[in-house]
mmCIF file of all heavy atoms in Angstrom:
data_model
loop_
_atom_site.group_PDB
_atom_site.id
_atom_site.type_symbol
_atom_site.label_atom_id
_atom_site.label_comp_id
_atom_site.label_asym_id
_atom_site.label_seq_id
_atom_site.Cartn_x
_atom_site.Cartn_y
_atom_site.Cartn_z
ATOM 1 N N ARG A 68 -146.862 19.036 -32.638
ATOM 2 C CA ARG A 68 -145.652 19.421 -31.963
ATOM 3 C C ARG A 68 -145.128 20.707 -32.372
ATOM 4 O O ARG A 68 -144.459 21.444 -31.662
ATOM 5 C CB ARG A 68 -144.634 18.392 -32.099
ATOM 6 C CG ARG A 68 -144.841 17.009 -31.353
ATOM 7 C CD ARG A 68 -143.682 16.120 -31.384
ATOM 8 N NE ARG A 68 -143.413 15.645 -32.807
ATOM 9 C CZ ARG A 68 -142.333 14.781 -33.056
ATOM 10 N NH1 ARG A 68 -141.529 14.446 -32.116
ATOM 11 N NH2 ARG A 68 -142.141 14.393 -34.271
ATOM 12 N N HIS A 69 -145.440 21.119 -33.652
ATOM 13 C CA HIS A 69 -144.866 22.275 -34.128
ATOM 14 C C HIS A 69 -145.917 23.355 -34.540
ATOM 15 O O HIS A 69 -145.551 24.452 -34.935
ATOM 16 C CB HIS A 69 -144.026 22.000 -35.368
ATOM 17 C CG HIS A 69 -142.951 20.941 -35.130
ATOM 18 N ND1 HIS A 69 -141.842 21.157 -34.330
ATOM 19 C CD2 HIS A 69 -142.859 19.639 -35.592
ATOM 20 C CE1 HIS A 69 -141.145 20.080 -34.288
ATOM 21 N NE2 HIS A 69 -141.742 19.066 -35.084
ATOM 22 N N ARG A 70 -147.198 22.998 -34.592
ATOM 23 C CA ARG A 70 -148.276 23.897 -35.022
ATOM 24 C C ARG A 70 -149.433 23.922 -34.059
ATOM 25 O O ARG A 70 -149.751 22.902 -33.378
ATOM 26 C CB ARG A 70 -148.710 23.429 -36.441
ATOM 27 C CG ARG A 70 -147.706 23.255 -37.476
ATOM 28 C CD ARG A 70 -147.358 24.640 -38.081
ATOM 29 N NE ARG A 70 -146.386 24.473 -39.168
ATOM 30 C CZ ARG A 70 -145.946 25.515 -39.892
ATOM 31 N NH1 ARG A 70 -146.401 26.678 -39.690
ATOM 32 N NH2 ARG A 70 -145.185 25.255 -40.914
ATOM 33 N N THR A 71 -150.056 25.094 -33.997
ATOM 34 C CA THR A 71 -151.321 25.182 -33.218
ATOM 35 C C THR A 71 -152.394 24.710 -34.068
ATOM 36 O O THR A 71 -152.330 24.729 -35.348
ATOM 37 C CB THR A 71 -151.526 26.630 -32.743
ATOM 38 O OG1 THR A 71 -151.769 27.453 -33.880
ATOM 39 C CG2 THR A 71 -150.351 27.153 -31.941
ATOM 40 N N SER A 72 -153.542 24.365 -33.492
ATOM 41 C CA SER A 72 -154.667 23.981 -34.268
ATOM 42 C C SER A 72 -155.243 25.105 -35.068
ATOM 43 O O SER A 72 -155.729 24.967 -36.237
ATOM 44 C CB SER A 72 -155.837 23.489 -33.332
ATOM 45 O OG SER A 72 -156.178 24.486 -32.370
ATOM 46 N N GLU A 73 -155.034 26.347 -34.603
ATOM 47 C CA GLU A 73 -155.480 27.509 -35.361
ATOM 48 C C GLU A 73 -154.637 27.716 -36.648
ATOM 49 O O GLU A 73 -155.207 28.036 -37.755
ATOM 50 C CB GLU A 73 -155.333 28.803 -34.504
ATOM 51 C CG GLU A 73 -156.385 28.855 -33.343
ATOM 52 C CD GLU A 73 -155.945 28.009 -32.160
ATOM 53 O OE1 GLU A 73 -154.738 27.512 -32.131
ATOM 54 O OE2 GLU A 73 -156.700 27.883 -31.059
ATOM 55 N N ASP A 74 -153.395 27.481 -36.500
ATOM 56 C CA ASP A 74 -152.473 27.622 -37.657
ATOM 57 C C ASP A 74 -152.759 26.554 -38.699
ATOM 58 O O ASP A 74 -152.893 26.780 -39.939
ATOM 59 C CB ASP A 74 -151.028 27.538 -37.261
ATOM 60 C CG ASP A 74 -150.100 27.734 -38.444
ATOM 61 O OD1 ASP A 74 -150.402 28.503 -39.317
ATOM 62 O OD2 ASP A 74 -148.893 27.232 -38.359
ATOM 63 N N ILE A 75 -153.087 25.337 -38.195
ATOM 64 C CA ILE A 75 -153.421 24.173 -39.109
ATOM 65 C C ILE A 75 -154.688 24.429 -39.765
ATOM 66 O O ILE A 75 -154.869 24.314 -41.042
ATOM 67 C CB ILE A 75 -153.489 22.839 -38.272
ATOM 68 C CG1 ILE A 75 -152.053 22.466 -37.852
ATOM 69 C CG2 ILE A 75 -154.046 21.788 -39.073
ATOM 70 C CD1 ILE A 75 -152.081 21.367 -36.720
ATOM 71 N N ALA A 76 -155.708 24.888 -39.062
ATOM 72 C CA ALA A 76 -156.976 25.242 -39.698
ATOM 73 C C ALA A 76 -156.905 26.338 -40.770
ATOM 74 O O ALA A 76 -157.477 26.259 -41.787
ATOM 75 C CB ALA A 76 -158.005 25.630 -38.577
ATOM 76 N N ALA A 77 -156.149 27.403 -40.415
ATOM 77 C CA ALA A 77 -155.915 28.477 -41.286
ATOM 78 C C ALA A 77 -155.322 28.062 -42.619
ATOM 79 O O ALA A 77 -155.661 28.487 -43.731
ATOM 80 C CB ALA A 77 -155.081 29.597 -40.700
ATOM 81 N N GLN A 78 -154.285 27.191 -42.586
ATOM 82 C CA GLN A 78 -153.635 26.752 -43.808
ATOM 83 C C GLN A 78 -154.589 25.894 -44.674
ATOM 84 O O GLN A 78 -154.613 26.014 -45.915
ATOM 85 C CB GLN A 78 -152.374 25.897 -43.484
ATOM 86 C CG GLN A 78 -151.140 26.808 -43.004
ATOM 87 C CD GLN A 78 -149.823 26.115 -43.365
ATOM 88 O OE1 GLN A 78 -149.716 25.366 -44.373
ATOM 89 N NE2 GLN A 78 -148.836 26.448 -42.514
ATOM 90 N N THR A 79 -155.284 25.032 -43.986
ATOM 91 C CA THR A 79 -156.235 24.189 -44.721
ATOM 92 C C THR A 79 -157.307 25.082 -45.401
ATOM 93 O O THR A 79 -157.688 24.883 -46.589
ATOM 94 C CB THR A 79 -156.875 23.188 -43.749
ATOM 95 O OG1 THR A 79 -155.865 22.366 -43.175
ATOM 96 C CG2 THR A 79 -157.833 22.235 -44.612
ATOM 97 N N ARG A 80 -157.832 26.011 -44.719
ATOM 98 C CA ARG A 80 -158.839 26.951 -45.228
ATOM 99 C C ARG A 80 -158.337 27.754 -46.397
ATOM 100 O O ARG A 80 -158.904 27.971 -47.370
ATOM 101 C CB ARG A 80 -159.454 27.854 -44.115
ATOM 102 C CG ARG A 80 -160.307 27.140 -43.074
ATOM 103 C CD ARG A 80 -160.952 28.119 -42.209
ATOM 104 N NE ARG A 80 -161.871 27.439 -41.159
ATOM 105 C CZ ARG A 80 -161.591 27.365 -39.895
ATOM 106 N NH1 ARG A 80 -160.445 27.904 -39.420
ATOM 107 N NH2 ARG A 80 -162.409 26.721 -39.168
ATOM 108 N N ARG A 81 -157.033 28.233 -46.287
ATOM 109 C CA ARG A 81 -156.484 28.976 -47.397
ATOM 110 C C ARG A 81 -156.402 28.199 -48.653
ATOM 111 O O ARG A 81 -156.702 28.696 -49.741
ATOM 112 C CB ARG A 81 -155.129 29.587 -47.017
ATOM 113 C CG ARG A 81 -155.186 30.698 -45.982
ATOM 114 C CD ARG A 81 -153.910 31.531 -46.060
ATOM 115 N NE ARG A 81 -152.709 30.722 -45.645
ATOM 116 C CZ ARG A 81 -152.300 30.623 -44.355
ATOM 117 N NH1 ARG A 81 -152.938 31.163 -43.356
ATOM 118 N NH2 ARG A 81 -151.235 29.888 -44.024
ATOM 119 N N LEU A 82 -155.903 26.913 -48.517
ATOM 120 C CA LEU A 82 -155.784 26.083 -49.745
ATOM 121 C C LEU A 82 -157.129 25.767 -50.275
ATOM 122 O O LEU A 82 -157.311 25.726 -51.535
ATOM 123 C CB LEU A 82 -155.027 24.828 -49.330
ATOM 124 C CG LEU A 82 -154.700 23.869 -50.565
ATOM 125 C CD1 LEU A 82 -153.892 24.639 -51.622
ATOM 126 C CD2 LEU A 82 -153.970 22.650 -50.069
ATOM 127 N N ALA A 83 -158.198 25.534 -49.365
ATOM 128 C CA ALA A 83 -159.481 25.203 -49.889
ATOM 129 C C ALA A 83 -160.075 26.391 -50.624
ATOM 130 O O ALA A 83 -160.679 26.232 -51.701
ATOM 131 C CB ALA A 83 -160.457 24.835 -48.743
ATOM 132 N N ALA A 84 -159.825 27.619 -50.152
ATOM 133 C CA ALA A 84 -160.237 28.837 -50.847
ATOM 134 C C ALA A 84 -159.583 28.987 -52.191
ATOM 135 O O ALA A 84 -160.197 29.416 -53.146
ATOM 136 C CB ALA A 84 -160.027 30.069 -49.951
ATOM 137 N N ALA A 85 -158.351 28.749 -52.277
ATOM 138 C CA ALA A 85 -157.516 28.846 -53.502
ATOM 139 C C ALA A 85 -158.081 27.834 -54.531
ATOM 140 O O ALA A 85 -158.025 28.195 -55.680
ATOM 141 C CB ALA A 85 -156.054 28.575 -53.220
ATOM 142 N N ALA A 86 -158.522 26.779 -54.055
ATOM 143 C CA ALA A 86 -159.079 25.708 -54.948
ATOM 144 C C ALA A 86 -160.522 25.925 -55.285
ATOM 145 O O ALA A 86 -161.132 25.152 -56.058
ATOM 146 C CB ALA A 86 -158.889 24.345 -54.355
ATOM 147 N N GLY A 87 -161.213 26.911 -54.701
ATOM 148 C CA GLY A 87 -162.585 27.181 -54.898
ATOM 149 C C GLY A 87 -163.562 26.215 -54.237
ATOM 150 O O GLY A 87 -164.677 26.130 -54.695
ATOM 151 N N VAL A 88 -163.071 25.557 -53.106
ATOM 152 C CA VAL A 88 -163.928 24.632 -52.454
ATOM 153 C C VAL A 88 -164.163 24.935 -50.987
ATOM 154 O O VAL A 88 -164.468 24.074 -50.200
ATOM 155 C CB VAL A 88 -163.400 23.175 -52.620
ATOM 156 C CG1 VAL A 88 -163.465 22.739 -54.099
ATOM 157 C CG2 VAL A 88 -162.039 23.063 -52.123
ATOM 158 N N ALA A 89 -163.973 26.234 -50.634
ATOM 159 C CA ALA A 89 -164.046 26.644 -49.296
ATOM 160 C C ALA A 89 -165.417 26.321 -48.685
ATOM 161 O O ALA A 89 -165.560 25.983 -47.425
ATOM 162 C CB ALA A 89 -163.858 28.069 -49.144
ATOM 163 N N THR A 90 -166.481 26.254 -49.430
ATOM 164 C CA THR A 90 -167.833 26.040 -48.867
ATOM 165 C C THR A 90 -168.031 24.469 -48.659
ATOM 166 O O THR A 90 -168.973 24.143 -48.008
ATOM 167 C CB THR A 90 -168.892 26.544 -49.821
ATOM 168 O OG1 THR A 90 -168.777 25.939 -51.051
ATOM 169 C CG2 THR A 90 -168.784 28.081 -49.969
ATOM 170 N N VAL A 91 -167.200 23.692 -49.230
ATOM 171 C CA VAL A 91 -167.334 22.232 -49.102
ATOM 172 C C VAL A 91 -166.570 21.717 -47.867
ATOM 173 O O VAL A 91 -166.970 20.729 -47.228
ATOM 174 C CB VAL A 91 -166.904 21.501 -50.404
ATOM 175 C CG1 VAL A 91 -167.055 19.982 -50.262
ATOM 176 C CG2 VAL A 91 -167.704 22.023 -51.588
ATOM 177 N N VAL A 92 -165.426 22.384 -47.585
ATOM 178 C CA VAL A 92 -164.484 21.847 -46.574
ATOM 179 C C VAL A 92 -164.813 22.552 -45.302
ATOM 180 O O VAL A 92 -164.653 23.782 -45.101
ATOM 181 C CB VAL A 92 -163.038 22.047 -46.941
ATOM 182 C CG1 VAL A 92 -162.055 21.663 -45.859
ATOM 183 C CG2 VAL A 92 -162.700 21.340 -48.293
ATOM 184 N N GLU A 93 -165.250 21.753 -44.286
ATOM 185 C CA GLU A 93 -165.421 22.272 -42.886
ATOM 186 C C GLU A 93 -164.300 21.870 -41.986
ATOM 187 O O GLU A 93 -164.048 20.707 -41.872
ATOM 188 C CB GLU A 93 -166.830 21.772 -42.397
ATOM 189 C CG GLU A 93 -167.048 22.150 -40.973
ATOM 190 C CD GLU A 93 -168.197 21.377 -40.246
ATOM 191 O OE1 GLU A 93 -168.908 20.722 -41.014
ATOM 192 O OE2 GLU A 93 -168.295 21.483 -39.018
ATOM 193 N N VAL A 94 -163.658 22.881 -41.437
ATOM 194 C CA VAL A 94 -162.486 22.584 -40.542
ATOM 195 C C VAL A 94 -163.083 22.651 -39.089
ATOM 196 O O VAL A 94 -163.728 23.621 -38.746
ATOM 197 C CB VAL A 94 -161.353 23.510 -40.774
ATOM 198 C CG1 VAL A 94 -160.215 23.225 -39.922
ATOM 199 C CG2 VAL A 94 -160.958 23.445 -42.243
ATOM 200 N N THR A 95 -162.757 21.718 -38.292
ATOM 201 C CA THR A 95 -163.145 21.703 -36.944
ATOM 202 C C THR A 95 -162.121 21.133 -36.076
ATOM 203 O O THR A 95 -161.251 20.350 -36.504
ATOM 204 C CB THR A 95 -164.482 20.880 -36.725
ATOM 205 O OG1 THR A 95 -164.917 20.932 -35.341
ATOM 206 C CG2 THR A 95 -164.195 19.325 -37.107
ATOM 207 N N GLU A 96 -162.096 21.483 -34.777
ATOM 208 C CA GLU A 96 -161.146 20.953 -33.790
ATOM 209 C C GLU A 96 -161.703 19.694 -33.114
ATOM 210 O O GLU A 96 -160.833 18.880 -32.606
ATOM 211 C CB GLU A 96 -160.806 21.971 -32.740
ATOM 212 C CG GLU A 96 -160.051 23.167 -33.231
ATOM 213 C CD GLU A 96 -159.534 24.096 -32.169
ATOM 214 O OE1 GLU A 96 -159.204 23.568 -31.073
ATOM 215 O OE2 GLU A 96 -159.412 25.310 -32.400
ATOM 216 N N HIS A 97 -162.964 19.508 -33.086
ATOM 217 C CA HIS A 97 -163.523 18.345 -32.329
ATOM 218 C C HIS A 97 -164.805 17.742 -33.100
ATOM 219 O O HIS A 97 -165.564 18.601 -33.654
ATOM 220 C CB HIS A 97 -163.974 18.792 -30.989
ATOM 221 C CG HIS A 97 -162.892 19.352 -30.159
ATOM 222 N ND1 HIS A 97 -161.865 18.550 -29.614
ATOM 223 C CD2 HIS A 97 -162.730 20.681 -29.791
ATOM 224 C CE1 HIS A 97 -161.048 19.405 -28.983
ATOM 225 N NE2 HIS A 97 -161.514 20.655 -29.003
#
Side-chain angles (χ1 to χ4, degrees):
R68 288 189 292 177
H69 307 292
R70 302 282 186 176
T71 66
S72 57
E73 292 80 7
D74 185 29
I75 292 168
Q78 285 208 30
T79 303
R80 289 189 179 109
R81 284 200 299 272
L82 184 57
V88 293
T90 59
V91 180
V92 177
E93 175 190 349
V94 182
T95 182
E96 291 187 32
H97 304 286

